[in-house]
Amino acid sequence: MGGLILQNQKTEDTKYLEDNYSDLETVFNRAQQKDFTLIDTLHQVQEVVGYLPREAQVMIARNQGIPLSEIYSVVSFYSLFSTEKKGDYNIEVCMGTACYVKGSGDVLDELKEELKIEPGQVTADGKFGLETTRCVGACGMAPVILINGEAHGQVEVDDVSELIADCNSDIED
Ligand code: FES
């Protein structure tokens, strides 16, 4: 199974899978023993790899004996699955109405400026990913950003540099 992956031209995605190969084997073994649903398997593979590139979907198809088209349609349907690599710190800016009227657009502009990326992109060093999201259900704290799923409320443009610096210092620790 791993040999098939290794024979292909190496992309960043296959390198990522190779680096996590033993963890993926553990997931596949557990999936067979515990009779995981496809959603469970996708979720666990995404936990290991961080996202679900096509190569990961092919591995799941081979291991679970499920058509690749079925896997692709499930991955595309559920927003919790991502086919794009995320940064070490994934920053989501809420653009729901409450956050937008309290200035989340300005916070987003500042993040774009500081990180030099657009929403949907990851910085060249892989540290930060930037996304926008709809209401995350914390309107009382508007404007809200999520950093790796953790909500930060009442974020102002002037807070952006410090938030990024905090993430950078965590990475260096
Ligand atoms: S609109 Fe941002 S949390 Fe609701």
Side-chain angles (χ1 to χ4, degrees), residues 15-153:
K15 168 94 175 55
Y16 225 70
L17 292 178
E18 286 167 26
D19 289 349
N20 293 287
Y21 191 72
S22 63
D23 288 338
L24 284 172
E25 270 195 319
T26 305
V27 169
F28 291 136
N29 288 338
R30 213 181 311 140
Q32 274 162 4
Q33 283 163 12
K34 300 204 169 176
D35 208 13
F36 278 7
T37 63
L38 175 56
I39 302 262
D40 287 336
T41 306
L42 289 168
H43 189 64
Q44 299 237 349
V45 170
Q46 182 164 275
E47 289 255 301
V48 169
V49 184
Y51 65 125
L52 292 167
R54 186 177 188 282
E55 287 86 345
Q57 295 178 45
V58 170
M59 286 179 79
I60 295 166
R62 286 185 184 139
N63 275 275
Q64 310 286 284
I66 297 169
L68 184 58
S69 57
E70 187 180 329
I71 292 172
Y72 179 76
S73 63
V74 171
V75 169
S76 313
F77 182 78
Y78 290 101
S79 60
L80 81 154
F81 297 129
S82 173
T83 57
E84 301 294 328
K85 187 177 173 185
K86 301 200 176 217
D88 296 333
Y89 285 87
N90 195 49
I91 302 178
E92 298 171 79
V93 180
C94 179
M95 299 299 277
T97 306
C99 287
Y100 188 79
V101 298
K102 293 263 181 131
S104 65
D106 294 334
V107 172
L108 177 64
D109 286 343
E110 185 66 17
L111 282 161
K112 282 162 46 176
E113 176 80 22
E114 289 255 352
L115 298 173
K116 309 270 184 280
I117 53 173
E118 293 293 317
Q121 296 179 335
V122 174
T123 52
D125 59 8
K127 285 183 183 172
F128 294 96
L130 182 61
E131 291 176 30
T132 57
T133 182
R134 294 180 188 174
C135 177
V136 296
C139 307
M141 297 163 61
V144 175
I145 68 171
L146 303 179
I147 301 180
N148 286 353
E150 185 182 325
H152 297 254

